[in-house]
Amino acid sequence: QRAAVAMYWPKKDRNGYPLYAPEQDKSSPHRLILLGEFRQAIRRQELMLEYQPIVVAKGPPVHGVEALVRWKHERFGQLSPDDFIPLAERSGFIREITTWVLRHALEDAAIWHNNGLTVSVSVNVTSASLLDPEFANTVAGLLASFKLPEHALTLEMTETPLLNDQDRAHEPITRLSKLGVQTSIDDFGTGYS
C-alpha cells in the first residue's frame, strides 16, 4: 500500500525513485478515522475557535482577529486545520465546517461589538465555499442575525480559486463585495502571485 502511495504521488522531485511519506497517504487509518467522525464533531461540540490578533503599524493595537478552527478530538487531542480541512474538502463536509466557523466567529464578534470592542473578524474560506451559489446569502443572513455591520467580517481566500477558475470566482466575489464584506488573499505571494 505504501509503495503504491509513493508511486502515484505527483513527482515534484525527479530523482528517479519515489519515497513514501505519511502526509501523502490519503487512506491512512488515522485519516480514515477522522473522515468517519466529521459529522459527529459538530454535534459533540468538539470544534473550537482560537483567535490570532491582526495588528497594523499605525492605529489601534489590535485591528482585528483571524478565526482559526481547531478540533478537540477525544483520542487524538487538539487537531489543527491541516489535519482535517483537506479531508473535509474531499468528503464534501467543508461547507458545514465553514458555516460553523462563520456562525461562531460572528457570534463572538457580536459580543465584542456589544462590549465596545469593534474589531473585525477574518475567516478563511475554501474555493468550494466561495463557489457555492448560496454562500453570499449565508454570509448576509449570518451578519443580519447577529446585527453586525458588513465591514465586521473579512473573508480570506487563497489565490488558487481566483486563478484556476476566474470566471466562476468573479460572480461570488462581486456579490460579497456588494454586500460590503471585505475579502483578502490569504498567504499572498506564496503561490502564483
Side-chain angles (χ1 to χ4, degrees), residues 138-165:
T138 300
V139 170
L142 288 170
L143 284 166
S145 70
F146 291 110
K147 298 177 177 63
L148 284 168
E150 292 76 11
H151 61 80
L153 175 65
T154 300
L155 297 174
E156 294 187 17
M157 60 202 78
T158 61
E159 63 193 25
T160 305
L162 304 176
L163 295 174
N164 289 349
D165 203 344

Side-chain angles (χ1 to χ4, degrees), residues 6-141:
M7 184 173 69
Y8 289 110
W9 187 253
K11 310 296 188 288
K12 292 180 184 171
D13 181 10
R14 301 283 183 202
N15 61 9
Y17 53 90
L19 298 174
Y20 172 81
E23 64 271 9
Q24 300 167 348
D25 193 345
K26 306 301 182 209
S27 61
S28 71
H30 175 74
R31 289 175 190 246
L32 293 175
I33 290 169
L34 291 180
L35 188 59
E37 295 180 352
F38 271 143
R39 299 216 184 277
Q40 300 167 11
I42 291 178
R43 252 195 339 261
R44 293 182 188 163
Q45 300 181 9
E46 293 176 353
L47 296 182
M48 61 180 270
L49 293 180
E50 291 182 346
Y51 293 97
Q52 177 177 312
I54 299 170
V55 296
V56 292
K58 294 181 180 179
V62 176
H63 173 71
V65 294
E66 181 177 358
L68 306 170
V69 65
R70 303 290 186 253
W71 183 358
K72 296 181 297 183
H73 195 278
E74 189 175 277
R75 231 177 327 164
F76 302 123
Q78 185 167 304
L79 302 174
S80 75
D82 292 341
D83 295 323
F84 62 92
I85 293 296
L87 292 172
E89 289 178 313
R90 282 194 297 280
S91 68
F93 193 58
I94 194 64
R95 288 185 178 113
E96 287 87 347
I97 291 177
T98 301
T99 302
W100 185 93
V101 170
L102 279 169
R103 179 180 311 283
H104 285 80
L106 291 174
E107 181 179 16
D108 288 344
I111 293 168
W112 300 329
H113 280 238
N114 290 336
N115 287 310
L117 181 62
T118 56
V119 296
S120 68
V121 64
S122 295
V123 173
N124 290 304
V125 294
T126 65
S127 58
S129 296
L130 177 67
L131 298 176
D132 180 351
E134 288 301 311
F135 183 65
N137 294 336
T138 300
V139 170

